């Protein structure tokens, strides 16, 4: 059996090696390292794929979030509601911009931000809600957008984990994740569903005015050449990364299908096992399985992780500590009791290997070892 990886980027590369090598060498030969033709081509190819008016590439997914917030003309102290159960980048950028993060609890089944918790947290100072489409499945966008509209609040989707997935509204309209809120953001970190070979990110919007602002912010706040209209940053996607992403974007749907097939294999096995809860599927969302995360009650998941590692099976705890209890983000306004779901999820979740190259032998091996451990513990 081939060695199991959490994410097998090497095997994936081997399959597209000749195409990737040629594209990367072409960029080097052209010396158009920054804002070269591949960046522009990738931008427009991603716009068509997502069916969104504007894609603005940038340096990484964290920058994408920060720039999205910078484009919304917020004032220090304005409130941004987001999930307690996510990667730190989402809340970090809120703090960096002197905005007030308002972390809220999540839904115990989908792990996505809880609509009731958002509703309870809204105040006259709430300006933005950032739903994170966690582990590859869209949050309850229809309800979140309706609530936000009612209160005149912006919705910025953190779509770092769910690119290529989609969401269907009750009127039958289907939209790609990241294109439903006023702004969407993503990351092309190598292990993400659409990953490059270094760092990268992008921002999406259908709003022309906001797109102009974002293009200026990523380029030092410049409008006309050497006229600086606002504070900006330097955040660019390299041409080499764009060249890789163009090749991988053409394969994204195939990659998603492979992840979904692996998830299906896990689901069939683990739904038969007592005490194990397989990922809950929102019927409106098409889950693209950035992570395959089980909930297992009444056991120390770190011991399970160790056991699996000893058997050559990588496994990760995403996320082991709620954000509201992190030293960087804890605040007097947070009461631990308000985060009952996140607190308990952090003690139950374990993410299994999930990528485009898992074969049946590996999947069976992972399933059998996890079952064996559960029967003995
Ligand atoms: C990966 C990730 C980010 C940050 O992306 P980087 O490219 O690593 O900066 C932000 N939010 C979520 C939910 C992520 O998973």
């Amino acid at each position: 059996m081939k060695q199991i990886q959490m994410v097998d980027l090497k095997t994936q590369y081997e399959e597209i090696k000749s195409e990737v090598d040629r594209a990367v060498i072409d960029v080097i030969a052209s010396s158009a390292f920054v804002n070269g033709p591949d960046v522009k081509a990738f931008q427009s190819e991603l716009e068509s794929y997502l069916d969104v008016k504007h894609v603005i590439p940038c340096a990484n997914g964290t920058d994408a979030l920060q720039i999205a917030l910078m484009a919304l003309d917020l004032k220090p102290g304005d409130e941004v509601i987001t999930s307690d159960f996510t990667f730190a980048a989402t809340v970090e950028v809120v703090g960096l911009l002197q905005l007030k993060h308002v972390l809220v609890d999540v839904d115990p089944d989908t792990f996505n931000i809880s609509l009731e918790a958002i509703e309870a947290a809204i105040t006259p100072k709430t300006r933005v809600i950032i739903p994170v489409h966690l582990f590859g499945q869209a949050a309850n966008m229809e309800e979140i957008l309706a609530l936000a509209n009612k209160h005149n609040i912006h919705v910025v989707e953190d779509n770092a984990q769910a690119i290529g997935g989609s969401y269907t509204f009750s009127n039958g309209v289907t939209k790609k994740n990241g294109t439903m809120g006023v702004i969407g953001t993503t990351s092309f970190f190598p292990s993400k569903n659409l990953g490059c070979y270094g760092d990268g990110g992008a921002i999406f919007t259908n709003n022309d005015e906001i797109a102009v602002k974002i293009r200026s912010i990523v380029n030092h706040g410049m409008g006309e050449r050497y006229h600086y209209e606002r504070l900006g940053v330097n955040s660019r996607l390299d041409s080499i990364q764009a060249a890789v992403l163009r090749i991988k974007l053409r394969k994204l749907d195939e990659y998603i299908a492979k992840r979904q097939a692996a998830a299906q294999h896990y689901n069939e096995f683990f739904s038969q096992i007592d005490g194990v809860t397989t990922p809950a599927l929102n019927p409106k969302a098409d889950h693209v399985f950035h992570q395959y995360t089980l909930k297992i009650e009444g056991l120390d998941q770190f011991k399970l992780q160790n056991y699996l590692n000893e058997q050559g099976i990588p496994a990760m705890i995403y996320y082991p500590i709620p954000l509201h209890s992190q030293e960087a983000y804890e605040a007097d306004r947070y009461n631990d009791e308000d985060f009952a779901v996140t607190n308990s999820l952090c003690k139950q979740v374990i993410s299994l290997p999930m990528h485009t190259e898992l074969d049946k032998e590996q999947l069976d091996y992972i399933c059998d070892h996890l079952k064996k451990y559960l029967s003995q513990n």
Side-chain angles (χ1 to χ4, degrees):
M1 188 180 67
K2 216 169 77 202
Q3 200 189 338
I4 301 171
Q5 310 281 342
M6 195 68 195
V7 180
D8 191 350
L9 294 172
K10 206 163 167 206
T11 308
Q12 193 190 60
Y13 164 65
E14 280 157 14
E15 221 182 85
I16 52 175
K17 182 178 183 325
S18 61
E19 241 184 309
V20 167
D21 291 2
R22 199 178 333 112
V24 169
I25 287 170
D26 283 350
V27 172
I28 297 171
S30 77
S31 297
F33 297 112
V34 169
N35 283 334
D38 278 303
V39 176
K40 295 194 178 69
F42 172 63
Q43 174 189 311
S44 73
E45 285 158 11
L46 189 56
E47 283 165 353
S48 326
Y49 176 84
L50 294 173
D51 192 20
V52 70
K53 262 173 110 176
H54 307 280
V55 165
I56 301 105
C58 67
N60 57 68
T62 309
D63 272 11
L65 281 162
Q66 177 177 331
I67 293 158
L69 294 176
M70 288 172 77
L72 293 175
D73 295 326
L74 307 171
K75 293 187 305 300
D78 281 350
E79 295 177 4
V80 179
I81 297 177
T82 193
S83 169
D84 191 38
F85 192 59
T86 174
F87 181 58
T90 323
V91 58
E92 171 185 55
V93 298
V94 176
L96 280 171
L97 294 173
Q98 312 275 310
L99 304 165
K100 183 171 165 190
H101 51 78
V102 179
L103 294 168
V104 301
D105 212 357
V106 297
D107 177 86
D109 300 321
T110 63
F111 314 135
N112 275 323
I113 194 164
S114 149
L115 186 76
E116 294 71 36
I118 296 176
E119 209 159 5
I122 290 176
T123 76
K125 291 190 121 181
T126 307
R127 298 292 313 280
V128 186
I129 300 167
I130 310 181
V132 181
H133 303 320
L134 202 75
F135 301 156
Q137 177 168 240
N140 270 329
M141 288 305 289
E142 181 151 15
E143 292 80 358
I144 292 171
L145 288 168
L147 183 65
N149 268 341
K150 191 170 116 194
H151 295 273
N152 207 9
I153 297 169
H154 299 297
V155 174
V156 173
E157 299 170 68
D158 181 348
N159 192 33
Q161 300 189 1
I163 195 159
S166 58
Y167 181 90
T168 304
F169 290 81
S170 13
N171 63 3
V173 172
T174 297
K175 290 190 180 176
K176 281 279 205 288
N177 295 342
T179 68
M180 295 174 269
V182 63
I183 307 178
T185 66
T186 202
S187 162
F188 303 124
F189 185 76
S191 65
K192 302 282 157 109
N193 284 25
L194 177 59
C196 59
Y197 291 172
D199 275 306
I203 306 154
F204 322 132
T205 185
N206 282 307
N207 181 310
D208 297 337
E209 214 174 299
I210 289 178
V212 168
K213 218 183 271 179
I214 291 172
R215 285 194 192 287
S216 153
I217 294 170
V218 298
N219 188 23
H220 303 286
M222 194 162 88
E224 231 178 284
R225 204 165 173 76
Y226 298 118
H227 290 258
Y228 300 96
E229 301 171 334
R230 53 176 61 80
L231 278 182
V233 295
N234 169 24
S235 193
R236 296 186 283 244
L237 180 71
D238 285 5
S239 301
I240 288 179
Q241 301 307 341
V244 172
L245 286 165
R246 290 185 70 194
I247 294 161
K248 291 184 68 174
L249 176 60
R250 293 198 280 275
K251 301 186 88 66
L252 180 58
D253 286 342
E254 179 191 323
Y255 287 158
I256 289 171
K258 286 182 171 176
R259 287 173 178 272
Q260 289 170 334
Q264 177 75 16
H265 190 107
Y266 282 141
N267 278 340
E268 278 164 19
F269 189 88
F270 291 117
S271 55
Q272 309 298 321
I273 296 179
D274 281 348
V276 178
T277 308
T278 56
L281 300 179
N282 178 344
K284 287 176 165 178
D286 174 32
H287 200 318
V288 295
F289 292 100
H290 174 58
Q291 299 296 343
Y292 183 87
T293 304
L294 293 173
K295 277 195 294 185
I296 306 179
E297 272 175 66
L299 123 165
D300 180 337
Q301 52 256 99
F302 293 99
K303 282 194 185 144
L304 169 59
Q305 183 187 28
N306 276 340
Y307 167 82
L308 292 173
N309 288 348
E310 280 161 13
Q311 311 307 314
I313 302 169
M316 298 294 283
I317 314 295
Y318 297 126
Y319 296 94
I321 304 169
L323 291 179
H324 79 274
S325 327
Q326 299 280 358
E327 198 177 340
Y329 314 119
E330 64 191 354
D332 289 344
R333 61 182 180 275
Y334 295 134
N335 295 316
D336 204 45
E337 312 85 77
D338 293 335
F339 300 95
V341 176
T342 305
N343 287 338
S344 77
L345 285 178
C346 289
K347 298 194 180 77
Q348 293 180 10
V349 288
I350 185 155
S351 297
L352 300 182
M354 172 50 73
H355 54 81
T356 57
E357 311 301 323
L358 282 164
D359 62 36
K360 184 169 180 307
E361 190 185 10
Q362 293 173 315
L363 287 164
D364 286 338
Y365 180 86
I366 297 164
C367 290
D368 290 342
H369 276 284
L370 212 157
K371 183 179 175 186
K372 187 168 159 213
Y373 183 85
L374 292 175
S375 69
Q376 294 166 355
N377 285 272

